[in-house]
Amino acid sequence: MNPYVPIFVMLAIGFGFAAFSVVAAVLSGPKRYNRAKLSAYECGIEPSPQAAGGGRFPVKYFLTAMLFIVFDIEIVFLYPWAVSFNQLGLFGLIEMAIFIATVFVAYAYIWRRGGLEWD
C-alpha cells in the first residue's frame, strides 16, 4: 500500500481542486440574468429560427469530425515510432510502411468518395 500513497494523494488533490472550482464558480458567479445574457451568441448575427427539436445538422459536419479524429490518431502513432526508430531497425521500418500504406488506402478512399470536399 505504501507505493500507492502518492497516487492517492494526487487523486485527492485533483478531486479537491475540482470541487473547490465548482463551488467557487457558483458562489462568485453572476446572479442576475437578463435577455441579452440568455440569448445565443452568434457573432453578432441574429440567430435563425430552428425547427422543433433543435433542427438537424448536415452529416458532413460529423464526417469531417470523424475524419479528423481518425487521421489525428494515426499521426499520434508516428511519434513513438520516430523516437525509437534506431532501436526498431528493419522490422520497425517494414511495420511502419505497412501502417502508412493502410492509412494511404483510407485517405485515397475518402478522397475518391468526396469526403474532403466542403460544399
Side-chain angles (χ1 to χ4, degrees):
M1 182 75 179
N2 197 15
Y4 296 108
V5 170
I7 295 172
F8 292 137
V9 169
M10 287 300 294
L11 284 172
I13 291 171
F15 283 122
F17 179 74
F20 172 76
S21 298
V22 169
V23 170
V26 168
L27 294 177
S28 66
K31 304 292 187 259
R32 294 178 299 175
Y33 297 102
N34 57 27
R35 185 174 175 212
K37 285 186 178 183
L38 294 177
S39 67
Y41 177 69
E42 301 257 344
C43 301
I45 301 171
E46 194 65 32
S48 60
Q50 292 183 350
R56 294 182 55 145
F57 284 102
V59 176
K60 196 76 161 173
Y61 292 115
F62 300 110
L63 291 177
T64 304
M66 291 304 294
L67 289 176
F68 173 76
I69 290 170
V70 166
F71 287 114
D72 189 46
I73 290 173
E74 290 169 349
I75 294 300
V76 166
F77 284 133
L78 289 175
Y79 284 115
W81 173 77
V83 169
S84 63
F85 176 72
N86 290 334
Q87 290 84 16
L88 294 175
L90 183 63
F91 174 75
L93 181 65
I94 292 171
E95 290 297 319
M96 189 51 65
I98 293 170
F99 177 73
I100 291 189
T102 57
V103 170
F104 181 73
V105 167
Y107 178 72
Y109 175 76
I110 291 168
W111 189 1
R112 180 144 173 122
R113 299 279 303 205
L116 300 176
E117 295 178 14
W118 190 265
D119 295 331

